[in-house]
Each structure stands twice: as structure tokens, then as C-alpha cells.
């Protein structure tokens, strides 16, 4: 990456999701994944509400735009979602995918697929759906 664009190494700032209900989505991401709303990071405008959630330095922006419609890809399994170009999902790295799966099952997560293994990419993974049918991936790096 060009240093004149980033002013140093590129760093993650946030991922953003359009959601149907800001409060319900913030509750789901809090209960399911441990994200916390930053009280000072909330926006209320006549046409939208937004909140910035955070967990261990990872920020997630939830945006409720009044009159928004569900994506036609919502609730589709991962391969179907990736047939349409654009952002397909975001992924969290985990240390132990099996432990993550067990924790998500215990919390009642809705799984989008069976766990997968992609040796060429060096990961094992699984996807779940959030409340709006957006894909959330959990990936474990495979040992070299």
C-alpha cells in the first residue's frame, strides 16, 4: 500500500452494516458476540440512526436507514451471496473454531453453513447470520 494514501500502515477502522432495527441489532451483536455500544458514538438524524459498537479495538457501525429494504441476498447460504459482486461478509479471526462454534450454538446462533476447510487459503471457517440475514464469518488460521 502506498504510504501517501494511508500515512503509514493500513489499519482497520470499522465495518458498517445496514440493519432493520438499530436497537435489536445492537442487542444481538452485544449478546451474541460481546460488542458494546459506545455511548458517545450514536447518531440520530431525521432519516437514519447509527451507532458504533466496539470490542477489543474492532469497531462495527450499525446503520438503520428509515425505509431501507432487506437485501435480496439476506438469509442465502454463503455461495449464493457471493454470486453477486460486492462485499459478501466480514470475518473475525478466532483461536479455536470448534470452541467458537460450541459457544455460538449455546447462544442459539443461526448457522448459514457447515464448518468448512480451505487449505489453499489457510483457514477453517463457519458462517452465521445476524438478525437481518447478513453473513458473519469466523475463521481459524491453519498451522503452517
Amino acid at each position: 500500500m502506498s504510504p501517501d494514501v494511508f500515512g503509514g500502515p493500513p489499519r482497520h477502522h470499522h465495518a458498517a452494516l445496514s440493519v432493520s432495527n438499530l436497537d435489536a441489532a445492537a442487542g444481538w451483536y452485544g449478546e451474541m458476540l460481546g460488542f458494546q455500544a459506545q455511548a458517545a458514538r450514536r447518531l440520530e438524524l431525521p432519516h437514519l440512526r447509527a451507532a458504533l459498537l466496539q470490542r477489543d479495538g474492532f469497531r462495527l457501525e450499525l446503520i438503520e436507514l428509515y425505509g431501507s429494504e432487506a437485501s435480496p441476498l439476506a438469509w442465502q447460504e454463503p455461495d449464493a451471496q457471493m454470486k453477486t459482486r460486492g462485499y459478501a461478509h466480514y470475518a473475525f479471526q478466532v483461536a479455536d473454531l470448534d470452541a467458537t462454534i460450541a459457544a455460538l450454538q449455546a447462544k442459539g446462533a443461526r448457522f448459514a453453513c457447515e464448518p468448512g476447510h480451505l487449505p489453499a487459503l489457510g483457514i477453517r471457517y463457519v458462517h452465521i447470520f445476524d438478525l437481518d440475514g447478513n453473513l458473519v464469518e469466523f475463521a481459524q488460521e491453519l498451522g503452517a
Side-chain angles (χ1 to χ4, degrees), residues 2-72:
S2 176
D4 59 330
V5 172
F6 293 99
R11 293 186 1 207
H12 163 81
H13 189 270
H14 72 271
L17 284 172
S18 177
V19 299
S20 60
N21 181 304
L22 181 66
D23 298 321
W28 186 90
Y29 278 94
E31 291 171 24
M32 187 65 64
L33 304 180
F35 277 85
Q36 297 178 347
Q38 296 177 290
R41 303 283 179 119
R42 202 164 167 102
L43 174 67
E44 303 262 348
L45 297 174
H47 67 290
L48 71 82
R49 298 186 315 145
L52 199 61
L53 309 182
Q54 178 287 128
R55 176 171 178 175
D56 300 322
F58 187 95
R59 290 178 292 260
L60 182 63
E61 181 182 16
L62 303 178
I63 303 166
E64 177 187 346
L65 180 66
Y66 303 131
S68 68
E69 296 180 11
S71 166

Side-chain angles (χ1 to χ4, degrees), residues 47-123:
H47 67 290
L48 71 82
R49 298 186 315 145
L52 199 61
L53 309 182
Q54 178 287 128
R55 176 171 178 175
D56 300 322
F58 187 95
R59 290 178 292 260
L60 182 63
E61 181 182 16
L62 303 178
I63 303 166
E64 177 187 346
L65 180 66
Y66 303 131
S68 68
E69 296 180 11
S71 166
L73 301 174
W75 305 110
Q76 300 282 329
E77 52 92 18
D79 284 352
Q81 288 206 19
M82 287 182 254
K83 286 182 181 177
T84 300
R85 292 183 197 117
Y87 292 99
H89 64 264
Y90 59 95
F92 295 102
Q93 183 169 323
V94 299
D96 181 343
L97 186 64
D98 295 322
T100 297
I101 290 169
L104 291 169
Q105 287 171 330
K107 292 180 179 207
R110 182 171 170 185
F111 285 81
C113 63
E114 293 295 319
H117 185 232
L118 298 171
L121 297 180
I123 62 168

